Amino acid sequence: MRALLVAIATLAVAPAPAPAAAPIPADALRVAAKISSWGPRPAASEREARAHRLMRRVFRRAELRVGVQEFAVPGRGRSRNVIGVLDTPRTCLRIVMAHTDSAAGAPGANDNASGLGVVAALAGRLRRIHPGCDVWLVATGAEERVYTGSPDHLGALALARRARAHGGRRRLQWALSLDEVGRDYPFWLRSPAGSPRPSVEGALLAAGRRVGTAVSWVRDESTGNSDHREFELLGLPGAKLGVGAGGEPCRHTPCDRPSRLDPTSLVLARKLAAEALRAR
Ligand SMILES: [Zn+2]
């Protein structure tokens, strides 16, 4: 008995094992430059899959719950959405997504390895952010309609259906597409809404103001040209953060190269998204 008590006492004062070093969050510029250095990654290609594998590793390292949602790209093969989930005690949901594919022939540094870089940088910071709602970070597939020939952004369509099946109408506050956030700051926030909705565009613009990320809302022409479109078409709130008034002259062309990425632009996009995820 005495020996047992001594053993317990010894245990009680034994030093706690040193905590494992916190993993260093992925750097947006490094991830964006790496992915776009591989060359064009059209929907359903091996390079798109390679970029998705990289994002899956980033999500796993960040200890998110990772899911892969596969879907067909008619005439091209198969693509997927890679989803990293952080559950919180809250039931509300926020989605930050970026498309992984590029147009054929385009290395897609700004369009849209930039968005992937920011999503990767968010993943490693997510627990420290203490999000005010559940979060899905998503590397979508098959966005580029110029390549797929589909009327819809196919990954976003599958993702919006999944969100709807998971109580999206009740839970989803907004789905934000990061698309061309790697240069030409200040940004535009775009959506097909008639005017900014307080809980969608209003919340995102306010987050930008709080962290000093300059952004103005500009209504989409028609239904929109990024992954937020499919959410809106299903009656779920969506918006896109992306290139501002200067546009993207290298969109869908071989000149959209990693050397054009501006680290400041990437950091400002990440800060806005992080602040919007943190909000209560
Ligand atoms: Zn794009």
Side-chain angles (χ1 to χ4, degrees), residues 21 32 57 88 95 100 102 116 132-133 148 169 171 208 214 234 243 264 269 271:
R57 284 196 301 275
T88 69
I95 297 176
T100 306
S102 74
L116 289 178
C133 295
T148 64
R169 283 189 198 283
R171 296 174 63 208
L234 286 189
V243 70
T264 305
K271 285 185 172 174

Side-chain angles (χ1 to χ4, degrees), residues 35 81 125 129 143 148 163-164 180 188 199 204 217 266:
I35 288 173
N81 298 320
R125 290 169 169 84
I129 289 171
E143 190 264 4
T148 64
R164 189 177 57 181
E180 300 182 341
W188 277 359
S199 61
L204 295 163
W217 176 75
L266 293 166

Side-chain angles (χ1 to χ4, degrees), residues 160-224:
R161 286 176 175 158
R162 172 175 280 215
R164 189 177 57 181
H166 284 73
R169 283 189 198 283
R170 182 173 41 82
R171 296 174 63 208
L172 183 64
Q173 293 192 344
W174 41 259
L176 179 65
S177 172
L178 302 177
D179 198 350
E180 300 182 341
V181 290
R183 50 180 285 124
D184 194 48
Y185 173 81
F187 301 122
W188 277 359
L189 181 71
R190 311 210 64 178
S191 67
S195 60
R197 298 160 286 188
S199 61
V200 185
E201 295 82 1
L204 295 163
L205 295 170
R209 278 195 300 276
R210 289 198 295 275
V211 295
T213 299
V215 55
S216 44
W217 176 75
V218 178
R219 191 181 186 181
D220 272 323
E221 301 103 20
S222 172
T223 51

Side-chain angles (χ1 to χ4, degrees), residues 99 111-112 143-144 179:
H99 73 81
D111 185 13
N112 183 36
E143 190 264 4
E144 294 291 3
D179 198 350

Side-chain angles (χ1 to χ4, degrees), residues 81 93-97 136 138 140 153 155-164 168-169 172 174-177 192 197 223 226-239:
N81 298 320
L93 171 66
R94 296 167 180 154
I95 297 176
V96 180
M97 57 196 166
W136 294 5
V138 189
T140 65
H153 305 104
L157 181 60
L159 183 67
R161 286 176 175 158
R162 172 175 280 215
R164 189 177 57 181
R169 283 189 198 283
L172 183 64
W174 41 259
L176 179 65
S177 172
R197 298 160 286 188
T223 51
S226 187
D227 282 338
H228 64 303
R229 171 184 182 270
E230 280 61 38
F231 284 80
E232 286 286 330
L233 290 177
L234 286 189
L236 301 172

